Amino acid sequence: MKKHVDLVALLFMLWGGMCLLLSVSLLSTGIAATAIGAAATGAATGGKLAAGIVAAVFFTLAAIGFVFGSAHLWVGSRLRRFREWARAFAIVLSVVDLFLIPFGTALGLYALWALIHERSKPLFEQDLPAVPRVEP
């Protein structure tokens, strides 16, 4: 199962990188819409309004994409180190990925299978040092 968890981590990082690239594209489109709205003449108030709405939508989608992509990159890098908390975050992100048809669905299903499997749980169990008890 170690190979599957490593592959899930790699796929999470690739998915995060693709989300970041898409976000840069959305951001540039939002900047272009802002430039179009700024260049519109005073008589074209409808064009300015439409360009403003389009720019706001693209900027919002870019911000969501940056957060989503960064989360996948971060969790994927921590999954490679078999952090117990990263497994929990990856499971949550996998459930969200299920709704992003078709590639997110495939990634979500595979990640859920690999991370919830009984043989992968011991990979994330870390031996924490015992804390000495101080008695009053």
Side-chain angles (χ1 to χ4, degrees), residues 23-36 54-55 58-59:
S23 298
V24 169
S25 175
L26 290 169
L27 184 65
S28 65
T29 307
I31 291 170
T34 303
I36 290 171
V54 168
F58 280 120
F59 287 142

Side-chain angles (χ1 to χ4, degrees), residues 5 23 35-36 41 46 69 77 82 84 103 109 124 126 131:
V5 173
S23 298
I36 290 171
T41 62
S77 68
F82 299 104
E84 186 175 356
F103 301 113
L109 286 172
F124 294 95
Q126 298 175 354
V131 178

Side-chain angles (χ1 to χ4, degrees), residues 41-115:
T41 62
T45 54
K48 283 187 176 189
L49 177 64
I53 291 171
V54 168
V57 167
F58 280 120
F59 287 142
T60 303
L61 290 175
I64 292 169
F66 278 125
V67 171
F68 195 67
S70 298
H72 274 81
L73 277 174
W74 183 60
V75 169
S77 68
R78 297 310 182 253
L79 270 178
R80 293 191 81 149
R81 297 179 188 165
F82 299 104
R83 302 286 191 245
E84 186 175 356
W85 57 266
R87 180 178 169 267
F89 277 112
I91 290 171
V92 170
L93 284 174
S94 297
V95 171
V96 175
D97 285 340
L98 290 174
F99 297 102
L100 301 173
I101 299 170
F103 301 113
T105 305
L107 174 62
L109 286 172
Y110 179 63
L112 286 173
W113 173 80
L115 295 173

Side-chain angles (χ1 to χ4, degrees), residues 1-8 82 110-124:
M1 285 308 289
K2 185 177 184 309
K3 290 181 182 181
H4 291 289
V5 173
D6 280 338
L7 182 58
V8 167
F82 299 104
Y110 179 63
L112 286 173
W113 173 80
L115 295 173
I116 294 177
H117 200 278
E118 287 297 323
R119 291 190 305 177
S120 68
K121 290 179 184 178
L123 296 172
F124 294 95

